[in-house]
Each structure stands twice: as C-alpha cells, then as structure tokens.
Amino acid sequence: MNATKRKGLALFILAVSQLMMALDYTIIFVAMPSLGEDLGFSANHLQWVVSAYSLAFGGFLLLGGRLSDLTGRRRMFRIAMALFGLGSLLGGLSDSQVMLVVARGLQGLGGALLSPATLSLIMSNFEEGAERNRAMGVWASMGGVGLSLGLLLGGVLTSYVGWEWTFFVNVPVALAAIVLSPVALAESKVPSGKKHYDAAGTVSVTAGLLLLVYYLIQSPVDGWLGARTLPFALLGAALLLVFVVIERRSRDPLLPFRLFRNRSLTGASLTAFLFSASFGSLYYFLTLYTQGVLHYSAIQSGLSFLPLTISAFLGARLINVMLAKAGVAGTIAAGMGLGIAGFLLLTQLSATGSAWGILPGTVIVGLGQALVFTTMFIAGGIGIEPRQQGVASAVITTGQQIGGAIGLAVIMAIISARLGTDATLETMLPADLNRAIHTAFVISAVVAALGIAVAILVLKRTKPANLGDAPVTAAH
C-alpha cells in the first residue's frame, strides 16, 4: 500500500473512531425512555445510564493519555477499541439494570483510553503543517457532527429495531478498526529507556477525578452538602492536591505542569470546559423538550434533530476558511457567538409548539458547535512535543468531560432553586418542564459568553500561520 492510500485509510479509521465516540455520547438520550421502561429503571436511577459513561471517561482520561504515550498509540488504540466494542456488546445484551450500567462504564473506560490515542496517532501519522491540520480538521469535525447525528440515529434505531441497537451499532465499527489499524496506522511511543509510569500520580489523579465526577453527577439528586455526596468531593479534592505535590517532585510526571505555559493548550482546555458546559447540555434538554413537552416518539424526536446534524456538517466545512481569516481566537469566538444566538432563540420554545420551533435555534447552534469543537483541538496541538501529545489531548478532553458534568450540575441546581421543587425533570408537568428548559438555555448562553472572553484573552496570540507551515516547538 503506497503512502497516500495508507494515510487516507488511517484518516478514515481515526475519523470514524471519533465519530463513534461522539455518537455514543448522544445516541443514548433518545433511547433512554425505552430502555428505562424495559429494564425497570426509576427516574433517579436512569441517570446512571449516562453517568456511568461520564464517570469512567472523565476519571481515566489522564491515565489513558500517559499509557498512550508510553506503551504505543496504536497498541492503546486497539486495546481501547476492544474495550469499547465489548462494552457495546454487553450493553446491547443487557437484561438487567446492573449489567447495563457496568456496560456503560466499560464503554467510558474504552473511550478514555481511545480519545487521546486517536489524536496522538494523527500527530504521528501526518506531517506537520497543512497535512496534519487537514487531518485534525476532519477528525475533530467528525466529533461535532457525531454529537448531532447521534440523536437522529438513536431515534431511528430505537423506533425500528430497538434500543439495543444503539449499542450493537458500535461493535462492527470496533472490529473493523482493530483489524485495519496494523495496516493503516504507524506505531509511535516514547523511545525505550525513558519510560516511567508515575504510579503514585496515576492513582491519586484517577481516584481524585473519579470521586469529583461522582460528586458532580450525584449532588443534584442527593444534595450538594449532604452526607452522601460531600465526603466524595472533599476526598477527591484532597487526592488532587496530593497529585499536584507528587507531580512537582516526580522526575517524569504523569502531567508535566509546564505544559500549561503553552497558551494554546491552556486556552483549548478552558474552551473545552466551557464548550461542554454550554453546548454539551443542548442535547439533553432538547430531548426532554421533544419527548417530555411535545410528547414525540423516539423516531420523531430523532428526526427533529436532522437540521442540527446538517448545520454541524456544514459548519465543519467552514473551518479552514475561518481559520485563515480569523485565526484560532476569532473562529472560537465566532462559534461561541453563534451558540449564544441559538440558545437565546431556543428560550422562545413553547409548551404547545412543534419541531419547527426548534429549527432556527438548532441550525445556528450547530454551526457554532462545529467551529468551536474542531478549532479547540487544533489549538490544543500547537507547540506540544510529539512525546506528550497523548497527555495533552487527554487534558483537553478532561476539561470537556468535567465541564459537561459541572455545567449540567449547575443548571440543575439553578432550575431547582428557581422552580422551588426537587422533582426530577422527567417527572415535571410539560409547562414546568418547558420553563426549566428555558432556564437551561439562558445559562448556556451565559457560559458561551465566557467562552468568547477566553478566546480573546488567552488564544488571541495564536495566528493563522501557526496552523500551517510554522514549525511546532516544544513547550518549556
């Protein structure tokens, strides 16, 4: 196989992998009412179908990034794909609540190992400059498109073949990627003789992140200062402080803090946090609106997100033009600005409306989503040493995962305080639920505005030229 064909196949595998992970984040939303009914989930327990995935993904990302750098990105890619595929298979075969939640956790673990490996493989399989940036653009855009497409595909599969197929659909993709990766992907890792696994740092940060994410997930249900939640936050924070101390003393740390001297990586991580805290909640609340307020079926709900999917795809095609004209900061700021406009339009949704009501807002949000999601990963790769690409990408994705958990937790807390009720959104009357959804979109608009500030203040020095022919230097 010649080099051009190999790189084409490599990009296809990596892009499809990113699409699969993004799909898996949202595809479950439309299927949840059906699987909840079939397996007898209560309203409070049903959240763990989503939370188990987020908990494992967010908790193991930094470990996944370091293992990717040390043991080999291609090897970790295959291991992660196997775990993700196994979790998907078990999810589709689940006949109990426990089995399904465990399967979702296994998918999350696979995703935590897979995400940094895929981005690192792009860095090692494509040359610096235009070739690599084109590949990164395709890879990242598949993530933005996948978030929207997941809702549509989830509705179609749930309606016509059953919720189980929202899991089974991943299995052939995982198998194909495992088989093709040795042919298409060149291996890369830290040279032998320099490996150091930093066991103490790995244990402390992984345990700390797991406890913190659990606290953020469970507090809206059990209370922010309750005995069933607060100890997890305190212990998690303590472990993260221990992690900082360990890393400062380690000769080869899991997370070199000098990476954060790189403005692009710091800005990309903050952007990922704010992006997920705002745009990331859109899918959950739009699904609640279409199914809980409008009482749409799974297929009707899925089809109502088709304009969002199309606009996200079109937005991804504008990336290169935007980067050339506005640079990283301008592109992210524009995307966040579109998000604000879309969220504010969605605050006009009516409890007696229709799918046409969500059309203007979702189309605008889809365009903005594509600009931000793609560009934040491009920015995060600038100025990072090849041997640290795995952990750097894990930092960005960790920001994304933590941002999503904190964003949703804050929105839920504000909704509960404003409405003066502890009722779950799934059990609210349509009119109350509609008001709660309006509140969520207002908060999302405010968070997106913070994203504009980060782009201007932190990323403004990143020029379009850095994305093309400028050499990539180490961040010290």
Side-chain angles (χ1 to χ4, degrees), residues 313-326:
F313 177 77
L314 293 176
R317 297 177 67 86
L318 299 174
I319 295 296
N320 289 335
V321 174
M322 286 295 299
L323 287 173
K325 292 184 176 181

Side-chain angles (χ1 to χ4, degrees), residues 250-338:
S250 175
R251 64 181 178 83
D252 193 6
L254 175 69
L255 177 59
F257 290 120
R258 70 176 183 274
L259 286 176
F260 293 105
R261 299 174 189 170
N262 181 316
R263 290 176 66 94
S264 291
L265 178 61
T266 301
S269 302
L270 290 172
T271 298
F273 179 94
L274 296 171
F275 169 82
S276 197
S278 53
F279 288 79
S281 65
L282 172 74
Y283 307 98
Y284 175 63
F285 287 103
L286 277 183
T287 303
L288 282 174
Y289 178 73
T290 56
Q291 295 191 337
V293 177
L294 301 183
H295 303 297
Y296 280 5
S297 66
I299 183 62
Q300 289 175 317
S301 181
L303 288 172
S304 68
F305 296 118
L306 181 59
L308 177 60
T309 304
I310 294 173
S311 67
F313 177 77
L314 293 176
R317 297 177 67 86
L318 299 174
I319 295 296
N320 289 335
V321 174
M322 286 295 299
L323 287 173
K325 292 184 176 181
V328 165
T331 302
I332 288 177
M336 290 291 188
L338 288 169

Side-chain angles (χ1 to χ4, degrees), residues 228-240:
R228 297 174 63 181
T229 53
L230 187 58
F232 291 96
L234 296 176
L235 182 56
L239 286 171
L240 292 179

Side-chain angles (χ1 to χ4, degrees), residues 325-459:
K325 292 184 176 181
V328 165
T331 302
I332 288 177
M336 290 291 188
L338 288 169
I340 293 171
F343 291 133
L344 293 179
L345 282 173
L346 290 171
T347 63
Q348 305 305 307
L349 293 177
S350 168
T352 58
S354 69
W356 293 106
I358 72 174
L359 183 61
T362 54
V363 167
I364 294 173
V365 170
L367 291 171
Q369 167 191 285
L371 295 181
V372 178
F373 188 91
T374 305
T375 308
M376 69 188 191
F377 280 104
I378 292 176
I382 298 172
I384 302 298
E385 293 181 79
R387 69 186 184 91
Q388 294 176 333
Q389 287 290 348
V391 72
S393 64
V395 168
I396 299 172
T397 312
T398 299
Q400 184 184 353
Q401 291 296 314
I402 298 297
I406 290 179
L408 187 58
V410 169
I411 289 172
M412 297 297 289
I414 293 175
I415 287 174
S416 296
R418 184 178 181 186
L419 297 181
T421 176
D422 293 328
T424 64
L425 295 179
E426 289 80 4
T427 60
M428 285 183 181
L429 294 174
D432 292 334
L433 177 58
N434 193 55
R435 287 197 298 272
I437 291 169
H438 288 180
T439 300
F441 289 139
V442 170
I443 298 169
S444 295
V446 172
V447 175
L450 295 177
I452 294 178
V454 167
I456 294 172
L457 297 175
V458 183
L459 291 170

Side-chain angles (χ1 to χ4, degrees), residues 58-128:
F60 289 99
L61 266 168
L62 285 177
L63 174 60
R66 188 58 172 163
L67 288 176
S68 173
D69 289 337
L70 294 180
T71 65
R73 282 73 181 255
R74 188 178 69 187
R75 177 183 297 175
M76 189 53 57
F77 177 86
R78 300 186 77 197
I79 293 171
M81 267 295 181
L83 288 172
F84 199 95
L86 178 60
S88 299
L89 179 63
L90 292 176
L93 295 174
S94 295
D95 57 3
S96 70
Q97 297 178 24
V98 172
M99 184 175 178
L100 183 61
V101 170
V102 169
R104 285 289 286 169
L106 191 56
Q107 281 185 312
L109 175 60
L113 302 181
L114 184 60
S115 181
T118 55
L119 184 54
S120 300
L121 283 166
I122 287 179
M123 296 298 172
S124 60
N125 280 263
F126 297 91
E127 296 179 6
E128 294 177 12

